[in-house]
């Protein structure tokens, strides 16, 4: 009888296991899920929110994103959160992250309609962005970042579509030498020639510019860069 009871118990146990729903295999392992932490600062899928100090990631050239991730990891740029997140990641992983965000095509946030910058400040910002200042060796932003300032493949970022605070903070970091890039560091050279008034002017003007119909980075520049810049090719 005891043997029969054991067989019956095993039979009912097997039946209950077969009837139970399958155990969840857990979330699918995708690059989108692995970079989800970036959303906390950079917004939904890296599309940003148009506010604060956080830049857009979506649609940026992969070479640029890859170089910035490497710079955070290798000490050329510093942000405590970014350094903590990438300090142990390999080049291949950083490249995968960069290519993921570069491949996204998401709407841009609305462009601000008002500013506290004066007309004179905006005029100066427009001049620096479109013409530069040859007397001080400052090239126009469009000479490197493209005619519409949407960036250039493979590694030059867009300037339009970024929060004013972010643009000014990063230009300020070049001026104070708190930010560095791969040698030759052309932006550090340019930044040292700019004043805080220049930075406020160009950041204020750029922040008000509408996004062009095609916001994607240009395939190439119509003329050579005005100076040598490291990191123009992702390595």
């Amino acid at each position: 009888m005891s043997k029969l009871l054991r067989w019956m118990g095993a039979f009912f146990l097997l039946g209950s296991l077969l009837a139970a729903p399958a155990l969840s295999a857990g979330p699918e392992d995708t690059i989108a899920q692995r970079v989800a932490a970036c959303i906390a600062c950079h917004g939904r899928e890296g599309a940003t929110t148009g506010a604060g100090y956080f830049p857009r990631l979506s649609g940026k050239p992969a070479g640029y994103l890859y170089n910035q991730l490497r710079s955070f990891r290798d000490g050329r740029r510093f942000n405590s959160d970014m350094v903590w997140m990438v300090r142990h990641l390999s080049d291949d992983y950083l490249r995968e992250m960069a290519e993921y965000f570069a491949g996204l095509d998401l709407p841009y946030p609305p462009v601000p309609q008002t500013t506290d910058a004066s007309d004179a400040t905006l005029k100066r910002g427009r001049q620096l962005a479109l013409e530069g200042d040859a007397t001080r060796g400052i090239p126009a932003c469009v000479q490197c970042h493209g005619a519409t300032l949407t960036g250039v493949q493979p590694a030059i970022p867009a300037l339009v579509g970024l929060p004013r605070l972010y643009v000014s903070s990063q230009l300020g970091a070049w001026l104070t030498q708190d930010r560095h890039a791969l040698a030759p560091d052309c932006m550090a050279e340019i930044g040292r020639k700019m004043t805080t008034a220049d930075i406020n002017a160009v950041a204020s003007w750029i922040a008000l510019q509408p996004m062009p119909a095609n916001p994607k980075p240009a395939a190439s520049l119509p003329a050579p860069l005005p100076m040598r810049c490291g990191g123009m090719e992702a390595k």
Side-chain angles (χ1 to χ4, degrees):
M1 178 63 71
S2 60
K3 186 175 182 180
L4 176 61
L5 290 174
R6 287 198 299 272
W7 274 104
M8 291 178 64
F11 176 79
F12 286 117
L13 176 61
L14 178 60
S16 64
L17 290 174
L18 292 175
L23 294 176
S24 172
E28 184 181 357
D29 182 21
T30 65
I31 184 62
Q33 289 174 327
R34 283 183 266 133
V35 300
C38 304
I39 296 172
C41 295
H42 293 277
R44 181 178 65 91
E45 296 181 289
T48 198
T49 60
Y53 292 93
F54 305 113
R56 179 185 178 91
L57 303 180
S58 172
K60 287 279 181 67
Y64 172 76
L65 295 175
Y66 173 62
N67 285 337
Q68 302 319 301
L69 289 169
R70 285 201 304 161
S71 287
F72 280 117
R73 185 195 64 188
D74 300 341
R76 288 181 293 273
R77 293 188 66 178
F78 182 79
N79 172 281
S80 58
D81 292 332
M82 286 298 303
V83 171
W84 185 84
M85 292 179 70
V86 302
R87 59 184 173 176
H88 298 306
L89 300 184
S90 68
D91 284 355
D92 287 344
Y93 203 154
L94 297 182
R95 192 185 301 276
E96 185 179 6
M97 293 170 64
E99 290 175 351
Y100 168 76
F101 283 112
L104 297 178
D105 185 10
L106 297 170
Y108 280 76
V111 174
Q113 300 299 305
T114 60
T115 180
D116 59 5
S118 68
D119 290 343
T121 294
L122 294 175
K123 182 179 179 180
R124 176 59 175 164
R126 182 182 186 279
Q127 179 187 24
L128 288 169
L130 303 184
E131 302 171 22
D133 188 337
T135 62
R136 293 162 56 202
I138 301 174
C141 299
V142 294
Q143 288 183 265
C144 297
H145 295 271
T148 57
L149 298 177
T150 56
V152 183
Q153 296 290 1
I156 300 177
L159 298 182
V160 288
L162 289 171
R164 173 185 173 183
L165 286 174
Y166 178 77
V167 176
S168 61
S169 69
Q170 296 310 301
L171 286 173
W174 294 115
L175 186 152
T176 58
Q177 301 184 49
D178 290 325
R179 176 175 173 174
H180 304 277
L182 296 168
D185 193 345
C186 56
M187 277 305 305
E189 182 178 344
I190 294 169
R192 286 193 292 268
K193 298 175 181 178
M194 299 181 74
T195 65
T196 54
D198 292 332
I199 290 171
N200 179 53
V202 75
S204 298
W205 184 82
I206 286 173
L208 294 176
Q209 300 315 297
M211 295 304 302
N214 179 11
K216 295 183 182 300
S220 61
L221 286 168
L225 292 171
M227 59 179 62
R228 293 183 60 228
C229 287
M232 290 301 98
E233 295 286 346
K235 299 176 182 178

